[in-house]
């Protein structure tokens, strides 16, 4: 049997995936995950498949993260709205010194949520 990539060379091994002959030069280039030899075309195919699977996994994780963050953001906004109504109606004892801090926290939280929602496209 001759090498698939170098027809003038005798094959010393075969690709574990597709079975084509590999010469000494080709046999030393790529190995399968379990140590078996594979040809360059099979290596490229496996590399593309692995990248596609990793990409799909990352996309699924990102989607889950977005769903969790959306819940956190909505909860934070509801808490801010509830506290704002309580303060506005006089239901909470907010002294003159605490009010700027409370307003600052609400403003920072609001703009943080707006920024993160645009970045994550939630």
């Amino acid at each position: 049997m001759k090498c698939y990539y170098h027809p003038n060379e005798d094959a010393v091994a075969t690709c574990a995936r597709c079975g084509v002959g590999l010469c000494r030069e080709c046999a030393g280039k790529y190995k399968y995950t379990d140590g078996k030899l594979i040809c360059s075309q099979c290596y490229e195919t496996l590399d593309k498949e692995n990248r596609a699977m990793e990409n799909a996994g990352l996309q699924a994780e990102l989607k889950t993260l977005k769903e969790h963050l959306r819940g956190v953001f909505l909860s934070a906004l509801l808490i801010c709205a509830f506290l704002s109504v309580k303060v506005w109606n006089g239901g909470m004892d907010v002294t003159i010194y605490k009010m700027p801090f409370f307003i600052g926290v609400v403003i920072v939280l609001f703009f943080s949520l707006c920024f993160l929602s645009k970045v994550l496209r939630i």
Side-chain angles (χ1 to χ4, degrees):
M1 178 187 292
K2 296 289 185 178
C3 177
Y4 181 76
Y5 299 100
H6 304 104
N8 296 335
E9 299 289 328
D10 288 330
V12 295
T14 58
C15 175
R17 197 157 183 258
C18 67
V20 299
L22 302 171
C23 66
R24 286 192 189 279
E25 182 183 342
C26 294
K29 286 185 181 178
Y30 306 107
K31 290 190 177 176
Y32 204 41
T33 54
D34 58 358
K36 295 180 181 177
L37 300 174
I38 59 172
C39 67
S40 61
Q41 286 180 345
C42 289
Y43 178 81
E44 290 174 13
T45 302
L46 287 171
D47 189 47
K48 285 180 186 176
E49 290 172 359
N50 288 338
R51 287 183 188 185
M53 288 189 325
E54 287 175 7
N55 191 24
L58 290 175
Q59 291 296 328
E61 288 179 23
L62 183 61
K63 182 178 179 184
T64 303
L65 177 64
K66 284 182 179 181
E67 290 170 358
H68 289 301
L69 285 176
R70 186 179 297 131
V72 170
F73 292 160
L74 290 176
S75 299
L77 284 175
L78 287 174
I79 290 169
C80 284
F82 174 75
L83 290 175
S84 298
V85 168
K86 284 287 262 188
V87 169
W88 188 265
N89 290 332
M92 289 179 67
D93 180 30
V94 180
T95 63
I96 193 72
Y97 301 108
K98 292 179 186 175
M99 192 57 136
F101 174 75
F102 176 74
I103 291 171
V105 168
V106 170
I107 290 171
V108 167
L109 183 60
F110 175 76
F111 285 110
S112 297
L113 295 175
C114 291
F115 173 74
L116 288 174
S117 66
K118 286 183 180 182
V119 168
L120 295 174
R121 295 182 185 137
I122 295 176

